[in-house]
Amino acid sequence: MGVCGCCGALRPRYKRLVDNIFPEDPEDGLVKTNMEKLTFYALSAPEKLDRIGAYLSERLIRDVGRHRYGYVCIAMEALDQLLMACHCQSINLFVESFLKMVAKLLESEKPNLQILGTNSFVKFANIEEDTPSYHRSYDFFVSRFSEMCHSSHDDLEIKTKIRMSGIKGLQGVVRKTVNDELQANIWDPQHMDKIVPSLLFNLQHVEEAESRSPSPLQAPEKEKENPAELAERCLRELLGRAAFGNIKNAIKPVLIHLDNHSLWEPKVFAIRCFKIIMYSIQPQHSHLVIQQLLGHLDANSRSAATVRAGIVEVLSEAAVIAATGSVGPTVLEMFNTLLRQLRLSIDYALTGSYDGSYDGSYDGAGVSLGTKIIKEHEERMFQEAVIKTIGSFASTLPTYQRSEVILFIMSKVPLPSLHHPVETGRTGENRNRLTQIMLLKSLLQCSRQDTVFMKKHSQQLYRHIYLCCKEETNTQKHYEALYGLLALISIELANEEVVVDLIRLVLAIQDLAQVNEENLPIYNRCALYALGAAYLNLISQLTTVPAFCQHIHEVIETRKKEAPYMLPETCCGEPGEGAPGTWLSQDLDGVVIEFLFRQSKISEVLGGSGYNSDRLSLPYIPQLTDEDRLSKRKSIGETISLQVEVESRNSPEREERVPAEEITYETLKKAIVDSVAVEEQERERRRQVVEKFQKAPFEEIAAHCGARASLLQSKLNQIFEITIRPPPSPSGTITAAYGQPQNHSIPVYEMKFPDLCVY
């Protein structure tokens, strides 16, 4: 073991103790008894700890150079045990020697040594030191562990182990430094720019770890050794420890990584990253992430539409999560940025240029701008993504904030007024029109409460609209009100399912006018045709499906030429009011198919755009809802009960005869009103009781309950007395002594019952 004979006794004791822990054969491992002696010596003489560490470091460096890796492992094991056992004030000097040895192992090209050094560093990171350190640096370890996270070793298993070690090492650095103000600030950009991309790199390559197909017995081990899962845990831990002032430095590398690796399209990984971020940070920091995403969207305002659309989709997901926590002053800032991007996208689509100048080099698919091409359909997809984001975020806001957002959006609509000068010229008109359409679409985004309402009550609402169209007494005001109702539903409550049902309803109204089973007057039939045309023209513009718009436009143009009485412009008055009367002399029984909106055609064109073609092809049939059936059953039951009551009052067996009351509409109406009044009284009584128990003094409540208990007890006593005492004789009473009447009991089997009781 080096020095022998009498010279060995002259060596310092700590060196002799260190030498004794190494066996002659490294395969025998650490000499445990001698290691216990070394540990006891270090605890007894803590001033020698730094020398012990320096000597172990010297031996380890020598053994690494001589490729004596067995002794290297023994030295690291000894260092780990000393580090775990000693927490004295001299530990800082020992740690310096320890970190020097770990760095030496990490610099090695041998994967086993890198993993060995990482494991020792992780053990050290989990130790809470008693004394602070003012000069320790972890810059080398951040750089080296980040490099290991990007390992490209030829052997897949070794590459996975190295990457896992790198992630564990970064996790150890974070745990050791994140809460220690005296340590190097791990949140500095120079460190975050290495740590965060390294974690995202492993999180991104999850499919590589899943490419192996081990046996079921190896599956649990495989899950433990998945770099993607470990990287996600480390990223969550890092973000969870981030303070208010560190969020920006932690999020910026994520945005840069997604830009550099073109990960905004497809947007799956980007959305996953920001879901991890939003669920890991403290809720009160959510608005900082939203602000950074908004700033990044502005910074990429001249990027491809697909990149901007990906950022907006991520913003949508993050904003919905942030709304459950705290969005703070970011609300109007978010809407302002989205509306500005919407306006820019409209300009790009119209001019084909990012600087707003039109060069006329349109080739049908897009406009070439050097190496960039602006494609209209991609800009349209981006605009739809912005509108969807506005709706999804607005739906999470409280009601008062929704009102503010609506007013804010309306203030951005270009209108011919003093505050909103409208651009002139053909390009300006197109820009204004498209801006108006997009902003109005933003206002159309339905809340969840509205969706639930339509799912519950839509069929009942459609049925009543359909039945109202059958009324012969309808006038122009009725049809205008029906159109307003349909338009309101389409604007405020419409989703894909509602749009399909409304189209089916209007086509059924058209069939109502065509078949005319109700023998409606000519004016009513023309008005129904006009109502259908007006509504389908509106809904076709709201859905913006070109083939659907074309079909509606063709039918309307045909009616203008050959059947204007089937359009609102002509059928706009009532008989006898001086309105155009061309519809009075028309024969509507032979309407040709060109004048009608065809359900098969609409189903075909909308089905190609993602709507439910099967549902569209089904004719609308009014259905009784559960509420309708219950109401109908209740009204029938009330009518029968009223009839029975009237008949019982008119029964000849009654001593006092009451004149028969005729059941009329007014009678039924009065009965319904009375029942409603009774319900209101009962509801008011319950409210008063609840209010009394909430506000009355305890003594008053106790007295009230005591009085009710006494009343209940008296009633129970009466019932028990009647139940226990034998019933009176049906034959009358007999007179007992002293002239007092006394009931005479007769057995039940001897009682004589009236004939009515015999079956």
Side-chain angles (χ1 to χ4, degrees):
M1 289 292 303
V3 182
C4 57
C6 60
C7 295
L10 300 177
R11 294 172 59 80
R13 185 182 179 187
Y14 74 89
K15 286 189 177 182
R16 285 185 278 119
L17 291 174
V18 169
D19 291 336
N20 291 338
I21 67 174
F22 292 92
E24 294 185 1
D25 186 356
E27 293 184 358
D28 294 339
L30 182 68
V31 180
K32 295 183 179 180
T33 55
N34 293 336
M35 185 64 215
E36 292 175 357
K37 296 178 181 178
L38 178 62
T39 303
F40 178 78
Y41 177 77
L43 292 174
S44 303
E47 69 278 0
K48 302 291 186 180
L49 189 60
D50 59 326
R51 298 183 182 182
I52 295 174
Y55 184 59
L56 274 172
S57 176
E58 178 184 342
R59 286 203 54 145
L60 183 140
I61 294 174
R62 185 176 67 230
D63 291 335
V64 169
R66 296 176 179 178
H67 304 289
R68 301 168 65 180
Y69 300 125
Y71 289 123
V72 171
C73 294
I74 293 174
M76 290 306 302
E77 185 179 355
L79 283 169
D80 292 342
Q81 292 190 21
L82 288 173
L83 202 61
M84 297 293 291
C86 302
H87 292 278
C88 59
Q89 294 182 353
S90 303
I91 191 69
N92 282 330
L93 296 177
F94 177 74
V95 169
E96 294 300 322
S97 301
F98 169 79
L99 294 178
K100 183 179 178 181
M101 287 183 279
V102 172
K104 184 65 177 179
L105 295 180
L106 294 177
E107 289 175 346
S108 173
E109 296 181 356
K110 299 291 184 179
N112 291 338
L113 295 184
Q114 296 176 18
I115 296 173
L116 177 64
T118 302
N119 293 337
S120 294
F121 183 85
V122 171
K123 294 177 183 178
F124 160 71
N126 292 326
I127 297 176
E128 295 185 4
E129 300 182 49
D130 297 335
T131 56
S133 174
Y134 299 93
H135 57 279
R136 194 178 301 162
S137 174
Y138 295 94
D139 294 357
F140 167 79
F141 296 99
V142 172
S143 300
R144 183 54 183 157
F145 288 139
S146 299
E147 184 180 349
M148 292 171 64
C149 290
H150 292 81
S151 173
S152 57
H153 199 280
D154 295 335
D155 190 296
L156 179 60
E157 185 175 357
I158 295 178
K159 178 174 65 176
T160 300
K161 290 182 178 180
I162 295 176
R163 289 186 179 181
M164 291 277 291
S165 296
I167 298 171
K168 292 178 181 178
L170 291 178
Q171 191 175 29
V173 173
V174 171
R175 290 178 178 176
K176 197 66 178 176
T177 62
V178 72
N179 292 325
D180 191 349
E181 296 180 356
L182 299 176
Q183 302 288 358
N185 191 357
I186 200 67
W187 300 106
D188 286 342
Q190 58 177 345
H191 298 310
M192 286 290 104
D193 291 346
K194 298 176 182 177
I195 295 176
V196 174
S198 300
L199 298 178
L200 294 179
F201 176 79
N202 285 275
L203 193 63
Q204 175 186 351
H205 290 77
V206 62
E207 71 281 353
E208 187 174 312
E210 296 177 352
S211 60
R212 293 174 292 172
S213 56
S215 63
L217 295 177
Q218 296 175 337
E221 182 180 358
K222 178 239 178 183
E223 292 178 0
K224 293 180 181 179
E225 296 182 352
N226 189 344
E229 294 180 1
L230 182 60
E232 181 176 343
R233 289 197 299 271
C234 184
L235 182 61
R236 289 183 184 276
E237 182 178 350
L238 175 68
L239 295 170
R241 295 171 180 262
F244 182 88
N246 302 325
I247 292 292
K248 182 178 179 180
N249 291 342
I251 301 302
K252 187 176 179 180
V254 178
L255 300 173
I256 296 176
H257 181 83
L258 296 175
D259 287 340
N260 293 340
H261 294 270
S262 302
L263 295 174
W264 295 111
E265 181 198 10
K267 52 188 174 295
V268 177
F269 179 73
I271 291 177
R272 182 188 176 196
C273 286
F274 274 89
K275 281 187 175 180
I276 293 174
I277 292 172
M278 297 305 294
Y279 285 118
S280 300
I281 63 174
Q282 300 178 29
Q284 61 269 28
H285 299 161
S286 299
H287 68 281
L288 298 177
V289 180
I290 301 298
Q291 286 177 343
Q292 283 199 269
L293 279 170
L294 292 173
H296 197 66
L297 180 60
D298 281 336
N300 285 272
S301 59
R302 292 174 179 263
S303 299
T306 52
V307 173
R308 285 178 280 132
I311 299 175
V312 169
E313 290 282 351
V314 172
L315 185 62
S316 174
E317 297 285 343
V320 172
I321 298 173
T324 60
S326 171
V327 184
T330 318
V331 176
L332 290 183
E333 178 187 354
M334 177 176 178
F335 286 105
N336 190 34
T337 301
L338 292 175
L339 294 177
R340 181 170 62 251
Q341 292 295 327
L342 194 61
R343 183 70 181 257
L344 287 174
S345 178
I346 293 172
D347 290 340
Y348 297 160
L350 285 175
T351 62
S353 171
Y354 286 119
D355 57 8
S357 60
Y358 179 63
D359 60 1
S361 58
Y362 181 69
D363 61 357
V367 178
S368 176
L369 299 173
T371 58
K372 294 184 178 180
I373 295 179
I374 295 181
K375 298 180 180 180
E376 288 189 13
H377 72 279
E378 292 182 353
E379 292 294 339
R380 198 176 302 115
M381 291 175 59
F382 169 72
Q383 295 162 13
E384 294 295 334
V386 171
I387 293 172
K388 178 183 175 183
T389 300
I390 291 175
S392 61
F393 181 54
S395 63
T396 63
L397 298 177
T399 304
Y400 72 93
Q401 280 191 326
R402 292 186 201 174
S403 303
E404 293 180 0
V405 169
I406 290 175
L407 293 176
F408 182 76
I409 294 176
M410 290 301 297
S411 68
K412 301 293 184 180
V413 178
L415 297 173
S417 64
L418 295 176
H419 303 286
H420 299 282
V422 177
E423 300 180 44
T424 58
R426 184 173 182 82
T427 303
E429 292 177 359
N430 290 336
R431 180 181 291 109
N432 293 325
R433 181 178 61 84
L434 290 175
T435 303
Q436 292 170 353
I437 291 174
M438 291 301 171
L439 292 179
L440 291 175
K441 279 188 174 182
S442 301
L443 294 176
L444 290 179
Q445 300 300 310
C446 306
S447 62
R448 178 182 297 179
Q449 293 84 356
D450 295 336
T451 304
V452 173
F453 171 82
M454 288 305 294
K455 286 185 177 180
K456 186 175 181 181
H457 302 289
S458 60
Q459 294 304 319
Q460 187 177 7
L461 183 60
Y462 301 151
R463 178 173 175 269
H464 287 296
I465 294 175
Y466 183 80
L467 294 179
C468 286
C469 293
K470 289 185 175 184
E471 295 294 331
E472 295 184 7
T473 58
N474 284 344
T475 62
Q476 178 183 345
K477 292 182 179 179
H478 292 92
Y479 294 114
E480 289 177 352
L482 286 170
Y483 173 76
L485 177 59
L486 291 171
L488 183 65
I489 295 174
S490 302
I491 292 174
E492 292 292 338
L493 306 174
N495 52 31
E496 181 178 327
E497 182 178 351
V498 173
V499 169
V500 170
D501 287 342
L502 287 175
I503 293 174
R504 293 172 59 225
L505 173 62
V506 172
L507 292 176
I509 293 174
Q510 176 183 259
D511 294 340
L512 183 65
Q514 181 185 10
V515 179
N516 196 25
E517 293 180 350
E518 306 294 329
N519 295 322
L520 296 175
I522 295 178
Y523 168 74
N524 297 63
R525 297 174 67 186
C526 291
L528 292 178
Y529 281 126
L531 174 64
Y535 175 73
L536 290 175
N537 182 52
L538 170 68
I539 198 67
S540 65
Q541 296 185 43
L542 293 178
T543 55
T544 64
V545 178
F548 183 39
C549 296
Q550 181 180 359
H551 173 66
I552 302 301
H553 179 72
E554 289 175 353
V555 175
I556 291 177
E557 289 298 320
T558 305
R559 288 187 182 183
K560 283 183 179 179
K561 295 178 181 178
E562 303 182 27
Y565 49 86
M566 301 173 69
L567 294 174
E569 293 83 355
T570 302
C571 184
C572 62
E574 301 181 24
E577 295 185 356
T582 55
W583 40 267
L584 285 173
S585 59
Q586 297 298 327
D587 182 11
L588 298 179
D589 294 334
V591 176
V592 296
I593 193 172
E594 287 76 11
F595 298 168
L596 301 177
F597 302 102
R598 287 171 288 169
Q599 187 159 5
S600 58
K601 179 66 174 179
I602 294 176
S603 175
E604 177 184 351
V605 297
L606 289 181
S609 298
Y611 289 84
N612 190 341
S613 58
D614 295 335
R615 189 174 181 84
L616 273 169
S617 60
L618 293 176
Y620 171 75
I621 300 176
Q623 298 178 357
L624 284 175
T625 61
D626 294 337
E627 291 81 0
D628 293 329
R629 296 187 183 95
L630 182 61
S631 177
K632 185 176 180 181
R633 191 180 303 118
K634 184 177 180 182
S635 63
I636 294 175
E638 290 177 350
T639 303
I640 295 174
S641 63
L642 282 173
Q643 187 71 35
V644 170
E645 183 179 354
V646 171
E647 291 179 356
S648 63
R649 288 179 180 178
N650 295 333
S651 173
E653 297 180 2
R654 292 181 57 91
E655 295 181 359
E656 297 181 0
R657 291 182 175 271
V658 180
E661 180 181 359
E662 183 181 359
I663 298 179
T664 62
Y665 171 76
E666 295 296 333
T667 306
L668 296 176
K669 181 178 179 181
K670 181 180 178 182
I672 294 174
V673 172
D674 291 343
S675 63
V676 172
V678 171
E679 292 178 358
E680 290 292 335
Q681 294 175 0
E682 180 66 18
R683 192 178 297 110
E684 179 64 19
R685 187 189 67 80
R686 291 178 181 175
R687 188 191 65 79
Q688 292 177 356
V689 171
V690 172
E691 184 177 0
K692 179 177 181 180
F693 274 89
Q694 289 178 343
K695 299 181 179 180
F698 175 77
E699 294 78 8
E700 182 180 345
I701 297 175
H704 176 72
C705 294
R708 295 190 61 181
S710 300
L711 179 62
L712 177 62
Q713 186 62 40
S714 64
K715 295 293 184 182
L716 288 174
N717 291 337
Q718 294 178 12
I719 294 173
F720 292 151
E721 184 179 357
I722 294 174
T723 304
I724 298 173
R725 214 171 46 189
S729 171
S731 61
T733 60
I734 59 175
T735 302
Y738 310 104
Q740 296 294 331
Q742 181 178 3
N743 291 330
H744 179 66
S745 300
I746 298 178
V748 176
Y749 56 85
E750 293 183 1
M751 291 182 181
K752 295 183 179 180
F753 295 95
D755 294 338
L756 293 176
C757 296
V758 181
Y759 292 90

